[in-house]
């Protein structure tokens, strides 16, 4: 078994509901405090999307997991949203939520917060309804394949890429991290936009029975990786985890937010 296969094996124990409880409820998702890491992430995504440049037909989310927050500011500027993950348990969790089935995660605080950020007076129920309508596919992905979505998706077939906490959490080492970045950027049209959130200097995280190994990356390493992947950085922001945000489910030091654009291949 090679190192990529070992990572895939470790994910067999990944528990979506435990993962959501570890990271997407207070204190990390405390909407009463602007200092919470989730308020920071949603602010970064909102401010980048509010500039009006990030728009087109298809936005693709790589390594969605069981979460949707990463798309709540970007989705309205696109005709279709494609969500993807390596694990069927995560794709099933997303499908159940999209069909409004019982016993799924309550994302309403997130919709309320994004409506507040946008300040358009839109009801959160309306935004939630629109989101459910806009997600057209929930399909498998594997960032370690040259064609992460399989042969159907030719290179340069999407207008915007989103990925949050995936590349560093699924790559055994920096070389695999770099190759995975180039694999997913290959899906992006030239001049397409890339909204990327990730963990800084993290070596592990927990998701129920699963203890996942993370390749620790620094701000400089992420910036260098983007340059090698022929992406121009439009914005790079970081958040340092405060003691209140350190809840014992990982050893993450900080979070990065990148708005990047794929270079034109002319
Ligand atoms: C830390 S979770 C991130 C989930 C979500 N995007 C978020 O922001 O919390 C990492 C995700 O990557 C997925 N994953 C693991 N190996 C992968 C691979 N080879 N290709 C794509 N996704 C993978 C896992 O199933 C998991 O959902
Ligand atoms: O602070 N957070 O909001 C937050 C959310 C998700 C994740 C982290 C931190 C750190 N670990 C990653 C997996 O590598 C997942």
């Amino acid at each position: 078994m090679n190192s990529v296969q070992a990572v895939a094996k470790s994910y067999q124990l990944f528990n979506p509901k435990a993962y959501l409880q570890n990271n997407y409820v207070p204190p990390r998702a405390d909407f009463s405090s602007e200092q919470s890491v989730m308020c920071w992430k949603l602010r970064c995504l909102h401010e980048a999307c509010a500039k009006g440049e990030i728009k087109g037909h298809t936005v693709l989310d790589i390594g969605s997991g069981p979460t949707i927050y990463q798309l709540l500011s970007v989705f309205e500027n696109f005709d279709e949203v494609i969500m993807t993950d390596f694990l069927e348990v995560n794709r099933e969790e997303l499908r159940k939520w999209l069909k409004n089935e019982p016993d799924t995660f309550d994302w309403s605080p997130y919709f309320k917060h994004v409506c507040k950020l946008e300040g358009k007076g839109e009801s959160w129920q309306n935004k939630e309804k629109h989101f459910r309508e806009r997600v057209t596919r929930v399909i498998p992905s594997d960032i370690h394949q040259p064609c992460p979505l399989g042969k159907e998706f030719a290179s340069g077939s999407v207008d915007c890429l989103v990925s949050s906490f995936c590349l560093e959490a699924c790559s055994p080492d920096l070389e695999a991290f770099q190759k995975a970045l180039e694999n997913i950027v290959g899906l992006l049209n030239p001049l397409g936009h890339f909204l990327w959130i990730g963990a800084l200097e993290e070596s592990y995280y927990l998701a129920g029975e699963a203890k996942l190994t993370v390749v620790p990356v620094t701000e400089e390493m992420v910036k260098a990786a983007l340059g090698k992947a022929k992406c121009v950085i439009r914005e790079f922001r970081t958040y340092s985890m405060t003691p209140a945000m350190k809840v014992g489910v990982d050893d993450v030091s900080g979070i990065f937010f990148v708005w990047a654009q794929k270079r034109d291949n002319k």
Side-chain angles (χ1 to χ4, degrees), residues 172-225:
D173 52 45
L174 204 52
E175 185 184 352
F177 173 84
Q178 180 69 45
K179 183 73 180 68
L181 177 61
E182 291 167 16
N183 290 341
I184 69 171
V185 168
L187 293 165
L188 197 49
N189 281 325
L191 295 180
H193 296 274
F194 179 22
L195 297 173
W196 186 17
I197 289 174
L200 289 172
E201 297 179 67
E202 180 180 53
S203 68
Y204 80 93
Y205 77 99
L206 305 176
E209 295 302 302
K211 178 175 183 182
L212 295 311
T213 301
V214 181
V215 57
V217 294
T218 63
E219 179 174 340
E220 292 69 30
M221 291 156 82
V222 172
K223 288 178 175 173

Side-chain angles (χ1 to χ4, degrees), residues 11 14 19 22-24 28-29 36-38 41 67 69 164-166 168-170 197-200 202 204-206 212-214 239 241 245 247 249-255:
Y11 269 94
F14 183 95
Y19 177 74
N22 288 351
N23 295 292
Y24 294 104
R28 289 185 164 184
S36 78
V37 57
M38 183 48 72
K41 289 196 281 187
T67 73
Y69 72 91
S164 49
F165 298 114
C166 178
E168 70 281 1
C170 315
I197 289 174
L200 289 172
E202 180 180 53
Y204 80 93
Y205 77 99
L206 305 176
L212 295 311
T213 301
V214 181
Y239 174 98
M241 296 300 275
M245 295 296 123
V247 295
V249 297
D250 51 45
D251 64 349
V252 66
S253 302
I255 311 287

